[in-house]
């Protein structure tokens, strides 16, 4: 399937507001990729696919998680995390995307992971800071992104963690590991 066909299929799965968000993530991811040395074509495709299954029914996503052996601890955390690993599965199964770097960028765009690749970081951060995002501190993260990919993403994770704590929601362990990995790496710079 070519990029235009994928764009059409993704657009059909998303409400208009989420499609506009996806376009913003694509543009931001390509820009960050060019700045920080990731492949902009891969960044574009991963960003295009990042929310493909976000509006699938919870039961369908749960079924994929269980049947495909995806991390079971996802089911103990907020369902909004589910679309990332399920989206990577769908990208491979429905669109034939085989590039593991692209699939990982989709898979980890919500949770992050330890030792993220530059592409992982680019797509994850683009999702946080695309132009349509409006939450306390987003402009500070955007400014930081111009100087340091790692520090900006760590700040994004901090924002997420503080939000989850304020709502008394469970925290997915990979997010803590991703944040700590970024902090450790950026302190060596």
């Amino acid at each position: 399937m070519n990029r235009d066909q994928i764009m059409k299929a993704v657009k059909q799965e998303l409400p208009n507001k989420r499609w506009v968000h996806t376009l913003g993530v694509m543009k931001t991811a390509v820009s960050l990729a060019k700045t920080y040395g990731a492949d902009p074509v891969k960044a574009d495709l991963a960003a295009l696919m990042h929310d493909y299954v976000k509006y699938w029914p919870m039961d369908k996503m749960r079924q994929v998680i269980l049947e495909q052996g995806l991390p079971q601890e996802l089911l103990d955390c907020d369902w909004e995390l589910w679309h990332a690993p399920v989206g990577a599965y769908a990208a491979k199964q429905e669109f034939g995307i085989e590039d593991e770097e692209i699939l990982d960028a989709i898979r980890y765009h919500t949770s992050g992971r330890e030792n993220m690749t530059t592409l992982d970081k680019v797509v994850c951060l683009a999702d946080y800071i695309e132009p349509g995002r409006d939450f306390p501190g987003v402009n500070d993260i955007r400014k930081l992104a111009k100087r340091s990919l790692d520090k900006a993403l760590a700040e994004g994770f901090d924002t997420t963690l503080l939000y989850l704590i304020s709502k008394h929601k469970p925290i997915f362990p990979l997010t803590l590991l991703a944040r700590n990995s970024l902090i450790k790496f950026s302190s060596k710079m």
Side-chain angles (χ1 to χ4, degrees):
M1 206 176 258
N2 69 35
R3 183 178 180 280
D4 289 339
Q5 292 170 313
I6 294 171
M7 280 191 77
K8 184 177 179 184
V10 171
K11 185 176 182 182
Q12 288 176 343
E13 287 291 316
L14 302 176
N16 189 57
K17 184 176 179 180
R18 183 56 53 168
W19 176 245
V20 170
H21 161 75
T22 296
L23 294 173
V25 174
M26 291 166 63
K27 182 178 178 180
T28 305
V30 168
S31 176
L32 289 169
K34 289 177 180 176
T35 299
Y36 291 106
D39 183 325
V41 174
K42 289 182 180 186
D44 178 70
L45 184 55
L48 170 60
M49 294 293 309
H50 87 283
D51 277 351
Y52 171 63
V53 303
K54 188 168 180 78
Y55 294 92
W56 280 12
M58 284 177 57
D59 288 343
K60 184 176 180 178
M61 286 194 280
R62 180 189 310 277
Q63 182 179 356
V64 171
I65 290 167
L66 294 171
E67 289 178 359
Q68 298 306 314
L70 301 178
Q72 298 290 302
E73 59 267 19
L74 283 165
L75 299 175
D76 297 329
C77 292
D78 198 291
W79 67 269
E80 293 210 12
L81 284 175
W82 300 1
H83 74 280
V86 173
Y89 167 79
K92 187 172 189 173
Q93 296 303 310
E94 294 184 21
F95 299 101
I97 296 171
E98 297 285 338
D99 187 311
E100 283 301 320
E101 194 176 14
I102 294 170
L103 295 173
D104 280 346
I106 298 166
R107 184 177 291 117
Y108 298 111
H109 84 269
T110 56
S111 66
R113 64 174 170 162
E114 262 187 307
N115 305 313
M116 293 173 77
T117 66
T118 303
L119 185 63
D120 292 344
K121 294 172 189 177
V122 159
V123 175
C124 187
L125 184 58
D127 191 27
Y128 272 114
I129 67 168
E130 63 90 5
R133 290 289 197 195
D134 183 23
F135 58 85
V138 71
N139 288 328
D140 294 334
I141 298 171
R142 287 181 181 123
K143 288 175 190 171
L144 194 53
K146 293 177 182 177
R147 298 191 315 270
S148 172
L149 180 63
D150 291 329
K151 289 179 181 178
L153 187 53
E155 187 67 28
F157 283 135
D158 285 353
T159 300
T160 296
L161 293 170
L162 290 170
Y163 172 80
L164 292 171
I165 290 167
S166 77
K167 298 295 183 186
H168 303 286
K169 292 187 172 207
I171 295 170
F172 191 56
L174 273 184
T175 304
L176 287 172
L177 293 172
R179 185 250 183 212
N180 290 347
S181 179
L182 289 164
I183 296 294
K184 185 182 345 176
F185 180 75
S186 65
S187 70
K188 293 178 182 178
M189 296 173 71

